[in-house]
Amino acid sequence: MPDAISSLVWILRTLVFFVVIDRTMLWLIPRVASARAIAIVRRRAGGINRFHFHGLNTPTNCRTPMSTADALMTLCPYDVSDAPLRLSVTIPEDVYWSFCCYAQNSDNVFAMNDLQAVQQIGREVVFVLHCDSVKVATAGNEVSVPLKSSRGIALIRTGVPDPHDSPSLSLLASNQRLASVGVSDRSGK
């Protein structure tokens, strides 16, 4: 009987150990991966709260969440801990377009595609990123994006119908490069 009890104790200790390891890794891995991605994009963008035009993904340069080979990517590592951030974009016509925010733990916390944006706001949109504890007044073409995590990555994807069509690709790329960033004061103005 003592052997059965000691075996049961050993099995329970092993199960508890692996449950703790499993839960720790589920919490830790997304945060470490996101911190690394944010650091890479931040370095390429030349700092925080600045856009980095990534271009088309290839097997060697793919560092974006949920990436596809037929989309232009523009990324902005954000930090809204001091003040709201305004990201101004122009939505192109006749191609898929989306704007997403990923928190520091890699959760997708906001997403809007071209159809939603055009129907609700129009082609010129200003996304106002802010901590969810800060109240921000928006007007006109502004969209409030409350964030639980003050740091993360904003991502713009623009579908490319034909990656080999250089004129179309150049036009879409120049449109995406026009996206701008503005830091607000604490009141969100």
Side-chain angles (χ1 to χ4, degrees):
M1 191 71 167
D3 286 338
I5 292 175
S6 65
S7 293
L8 185 59
V9 168
W10 182 85
I11 289 171
L12 287 174
R13 284 182 181 166
T14 303
L15 284 172
V16 168
F17 173 76
F18 281 109
V19 166
V20 168
I21 293 296
D22 179 63
R23 296 296 143 196
T24 302
M25 291 297 111
L26 285 174
W27 182 86
L28 186 63
I29 288 173
R31 284 162 177 77
V32 169
S34 287
R36 184 172 183 269
I38 290 168
I40 290 168
V41 173
R42 183 178 182 172
R43 187 174 57 248
R44 290 181 179 170
I48 202 82
N49 296 339
R50 297 180 69 177
F51 274 114
H52 166 67
F53 178 73
H54 179 73
L56 283 174
N57 278 325
T58 66
T60 57
N61 75 357
C62 182
R63 297 208 189 287
T64 56
M66 304 298 180
S67 60
T68 60
D70 60 349
L72 290 171
M73 306 286 187
T74 300
L75 300 102
C76 178
Y78 64 80
D79 182 348
V80 294
S81 56
D82 291 333
L85 182 67
R86 284 178 152 65
L87 304 177
S88 302
V89 297
T90 301
I91 301 167
E93 293 185 37
D94 301 325
V95 294
Y96 175 79
W97 176 94
S98 70
F99 176 84
C100 301
C101 288
Y102 292 88
Q104 196 163 5
N105 67 352
S106 79
D107 286 351
N108 185 341
V109 294
F110 181 85
M112 182 177 275
N113 67 27
D114 56 319
L115 296 177
Q116 295 166 320
V118 170
Q119 288 174 356
Q120 295 172 19
I121 299 114
R123 294 221 173 267
E124 302 291 326
V125 181
V126 178
F127 293 99
V128 183
L129 282 60
H130 59 92
C131 291
D132 62 357
S133 60
V134 175
K135 299 293 181 214
V136 174
T138 58
N141 66 340
E142 296 180 329
V143 177
S144 174
V145 183
L147 304 164
K148 291 188 187 311
S149 170
S150 63
R151 292 186 179 144
I153 293 179
L155 170 63
I156 299 172
R157 291 185 186 96
T158 303
V160 176
D162 181 2
H164 303 293
D165 181 2
S166 294
S168 296
L169 190 58
S170 295
L171 183 63
L172 289 171
S174 65
N175 176 61
Q176 210 158 328
R177 284 189 178 103
L178 293 176
S180 65
V181 178
V183 178
S184 304
D185 63 22
R186 283 306 267 160
S187 67
K189 296 179 182 175

